[in-house]
Amino acid sequence: MTIAEFLLELAKDEKLLKQFRADPAKFLTAQKKLTAKQRALLGAGKLVDLRVVIDAEFEVAGETIAMHTIYGTPQPQPPPRP
Amino acid sequence: MTRGSLTVVGTGISMGVHLTPEARAAIDSSDEFVHLAADRLTEEWLCGLHPKSTSLASAYRVGEQRAEIYERIVERMLAPVRAGLHLTAAFYGHPGVYVTPSHEAIRRARAEGHVARMLPAVSAEDCLFADLGVDPAATGCLSFDATDFLLRTRPVDTSCALILWQITVIGDLTALAEPRLDNVPVLVERLMEQYHGDHEVVVYEASPYPVAEPVIERVLLRELAAAPLTALSTLYVPPATVGASDAEMAARLGLSTH
């Protein structure tokens, strides 16, 4: 199971989420579908590393839409004040 | 004319756990569901929430003016509504915060006689307050888009907290594939007109995954341009001074200044 698949399962299942939130370390340790390396990564909770792994799993790192492309200021900016 | 409806919701920031029951009910009861996420995993999750689910991500073309992209998104949202369908559209975070197409689609839908509404959601700013332990009531809080902050020479009150969004797309109105960092020194220069270079600021990034911690990098203002910045980075500048109370006003309000 990839980390992306694991997180999707987590997001879909309220019971799993409740267990995770109650004790993240215990919950992750119990995930037999994940490798020790994956559990360690998730347990470390490092967002940047996790994002790199998920991008790699999707194999679309180059196509991933960054937040700024969605939420960028769209309004034409006025000229600067004198 | 067949009347359709448009409901705009937000997914919140953290995938799965920030979606409100109200938003979920809107998605479940709609004829069609369109969505725009900031990452593929969240997009995958959203695709599974409704049998007729479509991502709006294909509206983006790198290098194109974002205004054109937003126009495309608005029209994609309105097409099913004009056909008499009940559409729910989900945007990352709060659907009304830094999301122009959502506001514009609602405006046009209403003007054309359709029912349109927006539901509130968890924004990145909400996450920032929680993760950094900041209460905007304590000192007041100014919040600007970084380009807007520079271009309109917004006044700074150093006794207030200051939040600057989109610091890695300063001066660029197109869709980018990578953060643009060349104008960050301009922002630092502007801020150092009013803050000391040794003032500690925070580069912040809310976590989109319930298993990951947010990014909270504390750096000196003068070293901001060398900090690890991503497309999602937000700058939090804590107050540097204490706001003085107006004794005369305090007396008028019946407040003690002691």
XYZ file of all heavy atoms in Angstrom, chain B residues 5-94:
689
model
N -29.076 25.336 -9.558
C -28.540 25.937 -8.332
C -27.036 25.672 -8.221
O -26.515 24.697 -8.771
C -29.252 25.384 -7.097
O -28.846 24.066 -6.833
N -26.389 26.569 -7.524
C -24.946 26.453 -7.306
C -24.654 26.581 -5.812
O -25.064 27.560 -5.183
C -24.208 27.567 -8.070
C -22.716 27.718 -7.783
C -21.936 26.477 -8.216
C -22.155 28.958 -8.470
N -23.971 25.598 -5.281
C -23.516 25.676 -3.898
C -21.999 25.571 -3.905
O -21.442 24.618 -4.455
C -24.110 24.538 -3.038
O -25.526 24.584 -3.123
C -23.682 24.685 -1.577
N -21.345 26.557 -3.339
C -19.879 26.558 -3.296
C -19.433 26.235 -1.875
O -19.865 26.885 -0.919
C -19.319 27.928 -3.738
C -17.805 27.916 -3.664
C -19.769 28.251 -5.152
N -18.606 25.219 -1.769
C -18.132 24.798 -0.448
C -16.603 24.788 -0.428
O -15.953 24.876 -1.470
C -18.659 23.386 -0.079
C -20.165 23.332 -0.170
C -18.040 22.308 -0.979
N -16.045 24.655 0.769
C -14.595 24.521 0.896
C -14.266 23.176 1.499
O -15.049 22.639 2.298
N -13.118 22.639 1.124
C -12.709 21.345 1.686
C -11.952 21.520 2.990
O -11.619 20.548 3.642
C -11.780 20.605 0.704
O -10.577 21.379 0.542
C -12.444 20.401 -0.631
N -11.681 22.797 3.344
C -10.758 23.015 4.450
C -9.347 22.709 3.976
O -9.112 22.485 2.788
N -8.411 22.720 4.905
C -7.023 22.502 4.529
C -6.616 21.034 4.655
O -5.994 20.470 3.760
C -6.094 23.377 5.401
C -6.449 24.868 5.227
C -4.636 23.118 5.044
C -6.255 25.418 3.842
N -6.966 20.423 5.748
C -6.528 19.053 5.993
C -7.492 18.054 5.352
O -8.683 18.020 5.683
C -6.430 18.798 7.499
O -5.781 17.588 7.748
N -6.949 17.265 4.447
C -7.756 16.353 3.632
C -8.638 15.441 4.493
O -8.146 14.743 5.362
C -6.825 15.492 2.784
C -7.536 14.617 1.782
S -6.366 13.563 0.909
C -6.136 12.247 2.067
N -9.923 15.460 4.219
C -10.837 14.548 4.896
C -11.385 15.084 6.202
O -12.582 14.989 6.458
N -10.532 15.676 7.011
C -10.973 16.015 8.366
C -11.542 17.423 8.517
O -12.155 17.725 9.526
C -9.832 15.813 9.386
C -9.449 14.354 9.460
C -8.619 16.658 9.031
N -11.330 18.274 7.530
C -11.851 19.636 7.644
C -13.176 19.842 6.899
O -13.781 20.901 7.015
C -10.832 20.657 7.103
C -9.709 20.949 8.060
N -8.707 21.847 7.764
C -9.440 20.468 9.297
C -7.854 21.901 8.777
N -8.282 21.064 9.718
N -13.591 18.868 6.128
C -14.853 19.019 5.384
C -16.011 19.019 6.381
O -16.157 18.072 7.159
C -15.019 17.878 4.377
C -16.190 18.005 3.409
C -15.926 19.126 2.407
C -16.436 16.699 2.672
N -16.829 20.052 6.360
C -17.905 20.154 7.347
C -19.082 19.245 6.956
O -19.283 18.943 5.770
C -18.429 21.600 7.454
O -19.046 21.953 6.211
C -17.301 22.576 7.772
N -19.868 18.820 7.931
C -21.073 18.028 7.613
C -22.000 18.780 6.664
O -22.638 18.182 5.802
C -21.728 17.823 8.987
C -20.600 17.934 9.965
C -19.657 18.959 9.381
N -22.047 20.089 6.811
C -22.896 20.918 5.937
C -22.421 20.836 4.487
O -23.212 20.675 3.557
C -22.841 22.366 6.435
C -23.741 23.322 5.694
C -23.572 24.759 6.183
O -22.433 25.141 6.546
O -24.567 25.495 6.192
N -21.102 20.915 4.317
C -20.540 20.828 2.959
C -20.733 19.426 2.383
O -21.072 19.269 1.205
C -19.050 21.188 2.992
N -20.538 18.424 3.228
C -20.695 17.044 2.761
C -22.134 16.784 2.306
O -22.376 16.135 1.284
C -20.300 16.071 3.880
C -20.328 14.610 3.473
C -19.360 14.377 2.325
N -19.660 13.184 1.579
C -18.989 12.038 1.693
N -17.977 11.952 2.522
N -19.313 10.994 0.983
N -23.073 17.332 3.056
C -24.480 17.161 2.695
C -24.778 17.835 1.356
O -25.531 17.307 0.526
C -25.370 17.750 3.788
N -24.156 18.992 1.125
C -24.357 19.697 -0.153
C -23.803 18.875 -1.316
O -24.423 18.785 -2.382
C -23.672 21.061 -0.092
N -22.643 18.270 -1.093
C -22.043 17.433 -2.144
C -22.943 16.227 -2.428
O -23.246 15.913 -3.582
C -20.628 16.966 -1.714
C -19.684 18.164 -1.608
C -20.081 15.924 -2.691
C -18.367 17.865 -0.907
N -23.373 15.571 -1.358
C -24.187 14.351 -1.514
C -25.508 14.615 -2.228
O -26.014 13.751 -2.948
C -24.471 13.732 -0.136
C -23.226 13.128 0.497
O -22.237 12.926 -0.242
O -23.239 12.864 1.713
N -26.078 15.791 -2.016
C -27.403 16.069 -2.574
C -27.353 16.728 -3.951
O -28.396 17.028 -4.534
C -28.204 16.951 -1.609
O -27.544 18.196 -1.460
N -26.155 16.959 -4.482
C -26.065 17.647 -5.776
C -26.136 16.669 -6.942
O -25.863 15.473 -6.791
C -24.770 18.456 -5.845
O -23.660 17.619 -5.669
N -26.515 17.198 -8.110
C -26.546 16.366 -9.325
C -25.132 16.131 -9.842
O -24.814 15.067 -10.360
C -27.364 17.065 -10.417
C -28.820 17.228 -10.025
O -29.379 16.274 -9.453
O -29.385 18.313 -10.275
N -24.319 17.169 -9.750
C -22.927 17.072 -10.212
C -22.018 17.772 -9.216
O -22.454 18.681 -8.491
C -22.770 17.688 -11.607
C -23.459 16.875 -12.699
C -23.140 17.392 -14.097
O -22.240 18.245 -14.235
O -23.820 16.948 -15.039
N -20.765 17.370 -9.230
C -19.805 17.903 -8.262
C -18.507 18.242 -9.000
O -17.938 17.395 -9.686
C -19.556 16.834 -7.190
C -18.495 17.186 -6.179
C -18.465 18.433 -5.561
C -17.535 16.250 -5.817
C -17.492 18.740 -4.616
C -16.568 16.546 -4.866
C -16.550 17.791 -4.274
N -18.083 19.471 -8.893
C -16.784 19.861 -9.456
C -15.892 20.344 -8.315
O -16.388 20.822 -7.287
C -16.904 20.961 -10.537
C -17.679 20.464 -11.737
C -17.526 22.224 -9.962
N -14.597 20.213 -8.503
C -13.702 20.564 -7.393
C -12.336 20.987 -7.887
O -11.912 20.648 -8.996
C -13.559 19.368 -6.447
C -13.263 18.074 -7.137
N -12.005 17.697 -7.506
C -14.094 17.082 -7.547
C -12.060 16.513 -8.094
N -13.313 16.121 -8.144
N -11.678 21.729 -7.027
C -10.336 22.213 -7.314
C -9.492 22.061 -6.056
O -9.774 22.694 -5.040
C -10.405 23.684 -7.731
C -9.211 24.289 -8.437
C -8.767 23.446 -9.614
C -9.557 25.691 -8.904
N -8.513 21.204 -6.126
C -7.652 20.950 -4.973
C -6.245 21.444 -5.266
O -5.896 21.721 -6.408
C -7.627 19.453 -4.663
N -5.447 21.538 -4.227
C -4.077 22.022 -4.405
C -3.086 20.881 -4.607
O -1.922 21.124 -4.907
C -3.660 22.855 -3.201
N -3.535 19.658 -4.458
C -2.615 18.529 -4.654
C -3.389 17.323 -5.177
O -4.604 17.237 -5.032
C -1.890 18.188 -3.341
C -2.875 17.730 -2.276
O -3.450 18.598 -1.616
O -3.087 16.516 -2.136
N -2.653 16.403 -5.783
C -3.301 15.276 -6.444
C -4.019 14.344 -5.475
O -5.039 13.744 -5.806
C -2.267 14.474 -7.249
C -2.016 15.030 -8.641
C -3.255 14.927 -9.544
N -3.698 13.563 -9.741
C -3.274 12.775 -10.715
N -2.394 13.205 -11.576
N -3.736 11.543 -10.832
N -3.458 14.209 -4.289
C -4.065 13.281 -3.330
C -5.444 13.777 -2.902
O -6.409 13.012 -2.856
C -3.152 13.106 -2.112
C -3.601 12.068 -1.095
C -3.789 10.706 -1.747
C -2.596 11.972 0.043
N -5.532 15.062 -2.609
C -6.832 15.631 -2.235
C -7.798 15.543 -3.413
O -8.986 15.261 -3.241
C -6.656 17.099 -1.772
O -5.741 17.121 -0.674
C -7.977 17.699 -1.324
N -7.270 15.757 -4.612
C -8.111 15.627 -5.809
C -8.670 14.201 -5.920
O -9.847 14.006 -6.218
C -7.291 15.975 -7.050
C -8.097 15.902 -8.332
C -7.235 16.209 -9.554
O -6.637 17.287 -9.585
O -7.165 15.356 -10.453
N -7.808 13.236 -5.671
C -8.219 11.821 -5.716
C -9.342 11.555 -4.706
O -10.323 10.882 -5.013
C -7.001 10.952 -5.382
C -7.170 9.497 -5.675
C -6.833 9.148 -7.115
O -6.469 10.056 -7.881
O -6.966 7.963 -7.472
N -9.162 12.095 -3.530
C -10.174 11.922 -2.478
C -11.497 12.566 -2.908
O -12.559 11.961 -2.770
C -9.646 12.553 -1.185
C -10.675 12.784 -0.138
C -11.428 11.839 0.512
C -11.088 14.055 0.391
N -12.270 12.451 1.418
C -12.080 13.796 1.364
C -10.700 15.368 0.156
C -12.699 14.818 2.081
C -11.313 16.383 0.876
C -12.296 16.105 1.814
N -11.422 13.776 -3.457
C -12.638 14.474 -3.872
C -13.347 13.724 -5.002
O -14.578 13.683 -5.054
C -12.310 15.910 -4.308
C -11.888 16.850 -3.174
C -11.333 18.165 -3.737
C -13.062 17.138 -2.236
N -12.568 13.132 -5.892
C -13.166 12.378 -7.002
C -14.025 11.213 -6.490
O -14.973 10.791 -7.150
C -12.076 11.847 -7.935
S -11.409 13.097 -9.044
N -13.672 10.714 -5.316
C -14.415 9.574 -4.774
C -15.645 9.960 -3.973
O -16.372 9.090 -3.486
N -15.899 11.243 -3.823
C -17.016 11.670 -2.975
C -18.362 11.698 -3.693
O -19.402 11.783 -3.051
C -16.738 13.076 -2.400
C -15.606 13.213 -1.384
C -15.554 14.636 -0.830
C -15.747 12.208 -0.257
N -18.329 11.666 -5.032
C -19.592 11.796 -5.781
C -19.454 11.028 -7.091
O -18.390 11.084 -7.723
C -19.865 13.292 -6.052
C -21.249 13.582 -6.521
N -21.664 13.335 -7.812
C -22.319 14.112 -5.872
C -22.929 13.696 -7.936
N -23.350 14.176 -6.768
N -20.525 10.337 -7.521
C -20.422 9.560 -8.781
C -20.200 10.439 -10.018
O -19.619 9.986 -11.003
C -21.763 8.821 -8.859
C -22.667 9.517 -7.893
C -21.801 10.104 -6.829
N -20.667 11.675 -9.963
C -20.425 12.592 -11.087
C -19.506 13.709 -10.615
O -19.929 14.843 -10.376
C -21.741 13.154 -11.619
C -22.585 12.114 -12.343
C -23.779 12.754 -13.012
C -24.556 11.709 -13.814
N -25.757 12.282 -14.439
N -18.265 13.341 -10.455
C -17.278 14.246 -9.884
C -16.238 14.608 -10.938
O -15.697 13.741 -11.621
C -16.606 13.527 -8.707
O -15.566 14.292 -8.189
N -15.964 15.901 -11.081
C -14.998 16.344 -12.088
C -14.038 17.361 -11.489
O -14.476 18.312 -10.831
C -15.725 17.022 -13.278
O -16.754 16.160 -13.742
C -14.756 17.309 -14.419
N -12.768 17.149 -11.747
C -11.772 18.121 -11.289
C -11.713 19.304 -12.251
O -11.827 19.145 -13.462
C -10.398 17.456 -11.221
O -9.409 18.440 -11.023
N -11.509 20.485 -11.692
C -11.353 21.688 -12.509
C -9.875 21.975 -12.811
O -9.551 23.005 -13.405
C -11.970 22.897 -11.784
C -13.496 22.858 -11.607
C -13.935 23.924 -10.605
C -14.200 23.054 -12.943
N -9.019 21.071 -12.389
C -7.574 21.310 -12.536
C -7.156 21.499 -13.991
O -6.195 22.214 -14.278
C -6.790 20.153 -11.919
N -7.913 20.867 -14.909
C -7.525 20.971 -16.316
C -7.714 22.385 -16.866
O -7.291 22.680 -17.985
C -8.314 19.970 -17.161
O -9.699 20.254 -17.067
N -8.359 23.248 -16.094
C -8.534 24.635 -16.538
C -7.214 25.402 -16.505
O -7.092 26.467 -17.109
C -9.565 25.340 -15.658
N -6.234 24.842 -15.794
C -4.952 25.545 -15.628
C -3.978 25.243 -16.756
O -3.819 24.093 -17.147
C -4.306 25.153 -14.294
C -4.944 25.894 -13.147
C -6.100 25.405 -12.561
C -4.422 27.087 -12.685
C -6.726 26.087 -11.539
C -5.034 27.791 -11.660
C -6.179 27.285 -11.097
O -6.797 27.973 -10.091
N -3.346 26.298 -17.236
C -2.268 26.164 -18.219
C -1.123 27.054 -17.757
O -1.319 28.266 -17.571
C -2.737 26.583 -19.607
C -3.650 25.510 -20.225
C -4.598 26.059 -21.250
N -5.754 25.189 -21.376
C -6.833 25.473 -22.068
N -6.927 26.626 -22.700
N -7.845 24.630 -22.125
N 0.002 26.451 -17.544
C 1.150 27.203 -17.036
C 1.501 28.342 -17.986
O 1.561 28.146 -19.203
C 2.360 26.264 -16.837
C 3.607 27.069 -16.477
C 2.053 25.251 -15.747
N 1.693 29.518 -17.427
C 2.071 30.683 -18.226
C 0.902 31.554 -18.614
O 1.083 32.712 -19.001
N -0.305 31.013 -18.518
C -1.492 31.780 -18.888
C -1.871 32.744 -17.759
O -1.641 32.453 -16.585
C -2.658 30.819 -19.150
C -3.870 31.473 -19.788
C -4.948 30.449 -20.153
O -5.062 29.416 -19.460
O -5.664 30.682 -21.119
N -2.469 33.870 -18.115
C -2.945 34.809 -17.110
C -3.985 34.115 -16.229
O -4.895 33.447 -16.747
C -3.581 36.029 -17.783
C -2.591 36.940 -18.483
C -1.708 37.705 -17.497
O -2.192 38.286 -16.544
N -0.400 37.674 -17.727
N -3.855 34.297 -14.933
C -4.794 33.614 -14.036
C -6.225 34.122 -14.242
O -7.183 33.377 -14.057
C -4.354 33.806 -12.585
C -3.064 33.043 -12.258
C -2.919 32.817 -10.771
N -2.729 34.034 -10.023
C -1.556 34.581 -9.702
N -0.448 33.982 -10.085
N -1.487 35.677 -9.005
N -6.372 35.380 -14.638
C -7.711 35.924 -14.879
C -8.439 35.108 -15.962
O -9.650 34.864 -15.867
C -7.613 37.384 -15.283
N -7.694 34.680 -16.991
C -8.300 33.873 -18.056
C -8.677 32.492 -17.537
O -9.709 31.919 -17.906
C -7.321 33.743 -19.233
C -7.069 35.061 -19.948
C -5.970 34.941 -21.005
O -5.786 33.835 -21.540
O -5.295 35.952 -21.265
N -7.807 31.954 -16.697
C -8.074 30.633 -16.110
C -9.322 30.684 -15.235
O -10.183 29.805 -15.304
C -6.857 30.172 -15.286
C -5.654 29.944 -16.199
C -7.182 28.904 -14.498
C -4.335 29.806 -15.485
N -9.442 31.755 -14.467
C -10.604 31.880 -13.586
C -11.897 32.020 -14.389
O -12.935 31.500 -14.003
C -10.433 33.079 -12.647
C -9.249 32.940 -11.712
C -8.517 34.033 -11.288
C -8.852 31.683 -11.253
C -7.443 33.894 -10.434
C -7.770 31.536 -10.402
C -7.064 32.646 -10.002
O -5.999 32.508 -9.164
N -11.814 32.723 -15.504
C -12.988 32.866 -16.365
C -13.437 31.482 -16.870
O -14.640 31.175 -16.900
C -12.655 33.781 -17.547
C -13.752 33.925 -18.584
C -15.026 34.562 -18.036
O -14.942 35.271 -17.023
O -16.105 34.314 -18.623
N -12.463 30.658 -17.247
C -12.769 29.302 -17.716
C -13.437 28.496 -16.610
O -14.408 27.762 -16.837
C -11.449 28.632 -18.153
C -11.628 27.401 -19.023
C -10.287 26.869 -19.482
N -9.584 27.819 -20.326
C -8.324 28.235 -20.134
N -7.617 27.775 -19.134
N -7.778 29.093 -20.945
N -12.933 28.641 -15.405
C -13.502 27.901 -14.274
C -14.937 28.354 -13.999
O -15.833 27.526 -13.784
C -12.614 28.091 -13.020
C -11.291 27.343 -13.193
C -13.333 27.605 -11.760
C -10.279 27.609 -12.102
N -15.150 29.639 -14.037
C -16.499 30.173 -13.781
C -17.488 29.596 -14.794
O -18.584 29.131 -14.435
C -16.492 31.722 -13.844
C -17.920 32.268 -13.874
C -15.732 32.300 -12.664
N -17.106 29.602 -16.047
C -18.025 29.106 -17.081
C -18.256 27.598 -16.954
O -19.350 27.112 -17.220
C -17.494 29.472 -18.473
C -17.687 30.954 -18.795
C -19.149 31.403 -18.672
O -20.033 30.752 -19.259
O -19.413 32.396 -17.967
N -17.226 26.864 -16.540
C -17.416 25.420 -16.319
C -18.383 25.170 -15.162
O -19.132 24.204 -15.168
C -16.078 24.745 -16.018
C -15.223 24.550 -17.248
C -14.089 23.603 -16.958
N -13.112 23.622 -18.026
C -11.993 22.927 -18.005
N -11.711 22.152 -16.969
N -11.146 22.985 -19.009
N -18.335 26.045 -14.173
C -19.251 25.893 -13.043
C -20.677 26.238 -13.460
O -21.635 25.619 -12.996
C -18.807 26.810 -11.887
C -17.534 26.363 -11.195
S -16.826 27.672 -10.153
C -17.988 27.716 -8.811
N -20.824 27.230 -14.312
C -22.159 27.709 -14.643
C -22.871 26.857 -15.701
O -24.107 26.844 -15.748
C -22.093 29.165 -15.116
C -21.764 30.174 -14.005
C -21.635 31.579 -14.583
C -22.832 30.152 -12.907
N -22.123 26.132 -16.509
C -22.766 25.354 -17.583
C -23.818 24.385 -17.054
O -24.970 24.388 -17.532
C -21.700 24.620 -18.405
N -23.524 23.548 -16.068
C -24.570 22.653 -15.563
C -25.704 23.382 -14.844
O -26.858 22.939 -14.901
C -23.815 21.725 -14.590
C -22.495 22.338 -14.334
C -22.199 23.268 -15.463
N -25.373 24.490 -14.208
C -26.412 25.269 -13.509
C -27.407 25.805 -14.526
O -28.628 25.751 -14.324
C -25.773 26.429 -12.704
C -26.850 27.301 -12.060
C -24.826 25.878 -11.642
N -26.874 26.296 -15.651
C -27.748 26.823 -16.710
C -28.602 25.720 -17.327
O -29.667 25.979 -17.887
C -26.900 27.493 -17.798
C -26.316 28.826 -17.351
C -25.276 29.339 -18.309
N -24.730 30.621 -17.876
C -23.486 31.017 -18.093
N -22.634 30.237 -18.772
N -23.077 32.188 -17.665
N -28.127 24.475 -17.203
C -28.901 23.345 -17.736
C -29.932 22.857 -16.727
O -30.587 21.829 -16.940
C -27.945 22.207 -18.111
N -30.051 23.574 -15.607
C -31.069 23.223 -14.619
C -30.612 22.248 -13.562
O -31.427 21.738 -12.783
N -29.305 21.967 -13.521
C -28.801 21.003 -12.535
C -28.411 21.699 -11.232
O -28.167 22.905 -11.201
C -27.590 20.259 -13.103
C -27.853 19.417 -14.357
C -26.546 18.821 -14.868
C -28.865 18.308 -14.060
N -28.335 20.891 -10.192
C -27.855 21.378 -8.893
C -26.376 21.005 -8.786
O -26.027 19.829 -8.692
C -28.667 20.754 -7.758
C -30.128 21.052 -7.854
N -30.643 22.328 -7.679
C -31.183 20.264 -8.159
C -31.955 22.297 -7.854
N -32.304 21.057 -8.153
N -25.555 22.007 -8.819
C -24.111 21.783 -8.820
C -23.504 22.202 -7.485
O -23.823 23.270 -6.953
C -23.435 22.593 -9.938
C -21.914 22.444 -10.008
C -21.537 21.175 -10.760
C -21.258 23.660 -10.658
N -22.605 21.374 -6.975
C -21.783 21.795 -5.842
C -20.343 21.883 -6.337
O -19.859 20.997 -7.046
C -21.885 20.811 -4.662
O -23.211 20.846 -4.145
C -20.920 21.187 -3.545
N -19.708 22.977 -5.981
C -18.305 23.177 -6.360
C -17.487 23.318 -5.083
O -17.843 24.098 -4.197
C -18.158 24.434 -7.215
N -16.414 22.553 -4.993
C -15.564 22.608 -3.798
C -14.203 23.196 -4.147
O -13.608 22.848 -5.165
C -15.397 21.207 -3.212
N -13.752 24.086 -3.299
C -12.414 24.669 -3.442
C -11.612 24.377 -2.176
O -12.165 24.286 -1.077
C -12.499 26.185 -3.671
C -13.086 26.564 -4.997
C -14.456 26.634 -5.162
C -12.266 26.825 -6.080
C -15.012 26.962 -6.392
C -12.803 27.161 -7.313
C -14.181 27.232 -7.472
N -10.327 24.296 -2.372
C -9.416 24.060 -1.265
C -9.516 25.199 -0.243
O -9.643 26.360 -0.615
C -8.012 24.022 -1.862
C -6.892 23.587 -0.963
C -6.793 22.268 -0.570
C -5.922 24.486 -0.553
C -5.734 21.857 0.219
C -4.857 24.087 0.234
C -4.776 22.770 0.626
O -3.737 22.370 1.401
N -9.473 24.861 1.036
C -9.544 25.894 2.071
C -10.951 26.444 2.217
O -11.934 25.705 2.130
N -11.042 27.740 2.423
C -12.336 28.426 2.468
C -12.665 28.871 1.048
O -11.825 29.505 0.399
C -12.232 29.640 3.405
C -13.544 30.319 3.662
N -14.311 30.883 2.657
C -14.226 30.527 4.810
C -15.408 31.392 3.179
N -15.379 31.200 4.484
